[in-house]
Amino acid sequence: MQKTHSLEDFQKAKELIPGGVNSPVRAFSSVGGTPVFIKEGKGAYLIDVDGNKYVDYVQSWGPLIFGHRDEKIEEAVIDAVKHGLSFGAPTEAETELAEKVVELFESVEKVRFVSSGTEAVMSAIRLARGYTGRDDIIKFEGCYHGHSDSLLVSAGSGAATFGTPSSPGVPADFTKHTLLAKYNDIESVKKCFADSDNIACVIIEPIAGNMGLVPADKEFLHELRALCDAHGTVLIFDEVMSGFRATLRGAETITGVQPDMVTLGKVIGGGMPVGAFGGKKEIMSKLSPEGPVYQAGTLSGNPVAMAAGNAALAKLMQNPRVIDILSQRATRLMEGLDATCKKYDIPCQTTVRGSMFGFFFNENEVKNFDDAAKTDAELFAQFHQGMLEAGFYFACSLYETGFISTAITDEMIEDTIKAFDSVLGKLRG
């Protein structure tokens, strides 16, 4: 496979952009090689600057549930652009998209749109603090909630501890109010509550997608809900990645646990930059201009992004079976990988939630970040390189999740499974 132009582009980009990329994972650092530079997306495919074509199992990290350049979404965006890119003023499209979100998520009575998932989470936490009058928050190892300062923390030696910055440039004072707990471990959460009586909120990915795909146990979430109720703490579900991907109406419908607030993104932008946070009216009423908690954004709810989101959600609502169909394809894909790994005596754990899938070259079931870290990173890197050469584009980190779009057909799934056999067979040959 020829990659001359991608290599040239990467060298030039590194001279002008830190690391040559505008988001670190794109640099292929954990899988080796040179990132491919994309020229075009079409349906299920990415086409790079060298003309190589790949079946895309990343789908822009989730938002493209209908694949690249979906006709309805594209038409909606072009029509919106013809009327103006941004107004910094209210539009009917904002209310229309809000109506869809509120209709689909039982836990959301009001919603505010922002421009990214990071913004959504940052704002939701500020609102939870303003609502409760408390400062501390609990997050979980392995759950990524964007790059705002108070959430860039790493664990100490204990199961639960006050956070210390995991990135230079983040003052310790910014993270001292962040407590860390272990995913799927309720005792670590109890320890956090024992350490602090000042906890405003607990934020969790109910279906974690940033340590690979690791769903929270239902019993764990029920116990977490009970703890939050007992302590008057706001429970926030971060569904920026899983919202409308794992299920149409939110993780609350498959876990039986209703959060107080939800953060969203990805699919509600239809490929455009969008985030959102919403929840009970009692909490959302504290948000400016209705209440004292300030949040603002010039491009929040911009008409182009709202048009794309309205078109994407309208398509999902008109055909709610889409998630089931994509789940069947994701399940078949992971069954194929699992069978191939068994054939070559390779340890493998697979998971599917709706149109999301994940896998680990790991001996044991993955329940938290410690488990995920035991995955064979070298084998994953070799597998990724082999699949890329075969024309299949998978997430370039073992800590990321894969996505199926409606453009990926059953035939493409079977071709991918054949490639699994070829690539893993060579690696074990």
Side-chain angles (χ1 to χ4, degrees):
M1 182 178 285
Q2 180 62 253
K3 297 181 183 177
T4 302
H5 292 304
S6 278
L7 181 59
E8 292 172 350
D9 285 351
F10 190 43
Q11 293 302 320
K12 182 177 181 180
K14 285 193 291 186
E15 295 175 4
L16 301 166
I17 302 169
V21 293
N22 284 303
S23 190
V25 72
R26 301 176 192 172
F28 277 36
S29 299
S30 65
V31 293
T34 300
V36 292
F37 275 57
I38 304 304
K39 180 180 181 180
E40 181 182 5
K42 188 174 183 180
Y45 295 101
L46 288 175
I47 302 164
D48 69 19
V49 291
D50 289 283
N52 301 308
K53 193 174 182 180
Y54 312 88
V55 176
D56 182 13
Y57 285 106
V58 177
Q59 295 295 323
S60 190
W61 303 99
L64 306 181
I65 199 164
F66 297 104
H68 297 276
R69 292 174 56 187
D70 174 79
E71 185 177 342
K72 291 291 184 184
I73 296 173
E74 194 173 72
E75 286 177 358
V77 168
I78 291 171
D79 184 63
V81 168
K82 288 179 178 178
H83 290 86
L85 295 176
S86 180
F87 309 125
T91 66
E92 291 179 345
E94 297 169 82
T95 306
E96 290 168 8
L97 188 55
E99 283 179 333
K100 292 180 176 66
V101 173
V102 170
E103 178 182 342
L104 291 169
F105 276 70
E106 187 178 344
S107 60
V108 176
E109 294 177 327
K110 284 190 174 182
V111 63
R112 175 162 287 181
F113 296 108
V114 290
S115 296
S116 70
T118 292
E119 257 189 276
V121 171
M122 177 183 71
S123 303
I125 289 174
R126 180 184 300 160
L127 181 55
R129 282 173 163 154
Y131 173 73
T132 60
R134 302 173 185 173
D135 294 330
D136 294 343
I137 67 173
I138 296 174
K139 76 172 291 285
F140 294 85
E141 293 180 77
C143 286
Y144 178 71
H145 305 291
H147 61 270
S148 60
D149 287 346
S150 64
L151 294 169
L152 282 180
V153 300
S154 58
S157 58
T161 182
F162 284 89
T164 55
S166 60
S167 171
V170 179
D173 281 352
F174 285 13
T175 60
K176 68 182 181 182
H177 293 294
T178 302
L179 290 79
L180 284 164
K182 193 170 186 177
Y183 199 73
N184 279 323
D185 182 347
I186 200 64
E187 293 305 317
S188 70
V189 184
K190 290 178 180 178
K191 184 179 185 303
C192 288
F193 277 105
D195 288 344
S196 172
D197 60 0
N198 192 36
I199 297 172
C201 66
V202 176
I203 185 163
I204 186 171
E205 289 181 276
I207 302 168
N210 291 285
M211 53 177 148
L213 183 60
V214 184
D217 294 334
K218 288 184 181 180
E219 182 181 355
F220 168 74
L221 287 177
H222 279 277
E223 290 180 303
L224 187 62
R225 175 72 274 179
L227 274 174
C228 288
D229 289 341
H231 291 272
T233 297
V234 175
L235 177 59
I236 303 173
F237 275 5
D238 182 348
E239 293 214 61
V240 169
M241 185 172 286
S242 62
F244 308 105
R245 270 290 184 177
T247 176
L248 182 59
R249 295 181 179 272
E252 60 197 74
T253 60
I254 57 177
T255 63
V257 176
Q258 190 174 103
D260 300 303
M261 296 182 69
V262 178
T263 61
L264 296 165
K266 307 292 185 184
V267 176
I268 60 169
M272 297 295 293
V274 175
F277 62 103
K280 299 176 180 177
K281 288 181 181 178
E282 179 185 0
I283 298 174
M284 297 299 290
S285 67
K286 300 297 182 182
L287 195 63
S288 179
E290 198 171 332
V293 178
Y294 192 74
Q295 180 277 327
T298 300
L299 294 179
S300 295
N302 78 82
V304 181
M306 295 296 97
N310 271 310
L313 287 196
K315 288 192 67 165
L316 276 175
M317 294 169 78
Q318 289 160 9
N319 187 7
R321 286 200 64 247
V322 164
I323 302 293
D324 293 333
I325 294 168
L326 296 183
S327 181
Q328 291 168 10
R329 290 177 185 164
T331 298
R332 172 59 188 143
L333 183 71
M334 290 296 95
E335 286 175 347
L337 178 60
D338 189 59
T340 305
C341 286
K342 283 183 170 65
K343 176 179 177 180
Y344 294 109
D345 197 27
I346 297 171
C348 186
Q349 308 294 324
T350 63
T351 309
V352 171
R353 287 294 184 276
S355 61
M356 305 168 70
F357 67 87
F359 58 93
F360 300 91
F361 295 125
N362 200 317
E363 293 278 0
N364 302 306
E365 184 181 7
V366 175
K367 305 290 285 185
N368 52 55
F369 187 67
D370 287 344
D371 294 340
K374 296 172 184 174
T375 297
D376 189 334
E378 183 178 350
L379 178 59
F380 177 84
Q382 294 172 339
F383 171 81
H384 182 273
Q385 291 169 8
M387 292 302 293
L388 194 67
E389 289 292 327
F392 300 91
Y393 193 88
F394 282 85
C396 47
S397 167
L398 63 86
Y399 296 121
E400 297 289 351
T401 296
F403 301 93
I404 305 289
S405 76
T406 58
I408 295 176
T409 64
D410 292 328
E411 290 76 15
M412 290 176 188
I413 298 289
E414 296 306 319
D415 287 343
T416 308
I417 292 171
K418 290 176 184 177
F420 289 160
D421 189 273
S422 175
V423 169
L424 292 175
K426 288 177 182 176
L427 291 177
R428 283 295 185 255

